[in-house]
Amino acid sequence: MPPECQLFGTLGCHLCELAEAELMPLVEHGLMVELVDIAESQELFETYGLRIPVLRRVDNGGELGWPFDAEQVVAFLR
């Protein structure tokens, strides 16, 4: 079972939409991804505002910044 992840982004972010599209096939195969809107938290906005989208592993806090493809995500989750 792959680790649970969070995808940090915000509404209207074209790159975030591309990241979601890369993740969808993995989600369909069991990857759990929580979409986190950084606009809802000043702390998240300050941390990720210039870097979104960012995929973060919940189990160890590891982060994978954009750009990434499905193959890179699979390697990141190993």
Side-chain angles (χ1 to χ4, degrees):
M1 187 77 173
E4 184 176 336
C5 295
Q6 297 170 307
L7 180 64
F8 294 99
T10 195
L11 292 175
C13 168
H14 176 67
L15 296 178
C16 300
E17 293 169 1
L18 293 175
E20 286 182 45
E22 284 292 336
L23 293 172
M24 283 311 299
L26 300 172
V27 168
E28 291 170 1
H29 286 91
L31 178 64
M32 294 181 62
V33 178
E34 174 190 8
L35 301 178
V36 179
D37 189 340
I38 65 166
E40 296 177 6
S41 162
Q42 184 64 33
E43 181 181 344
L44 290 176
F45 183 80
E46 290 173 5
T47 302
Y48 295 104
L50 298 177
R51 301 189 306 146
I52 59 172
V54 175
L55 185 65
R56 180 181 178 274
R57 288 177 59 148
V58 172
D59 62 346
N60 66 15
E63 294 182 346
L64 180 63
W66 185 258
F68 52 76
D69 59 25
E71 185 176 311
Q72 290 169 310
V73 172
V74 169
F76 170 70
L77 297 175
R78 284 195 188 123

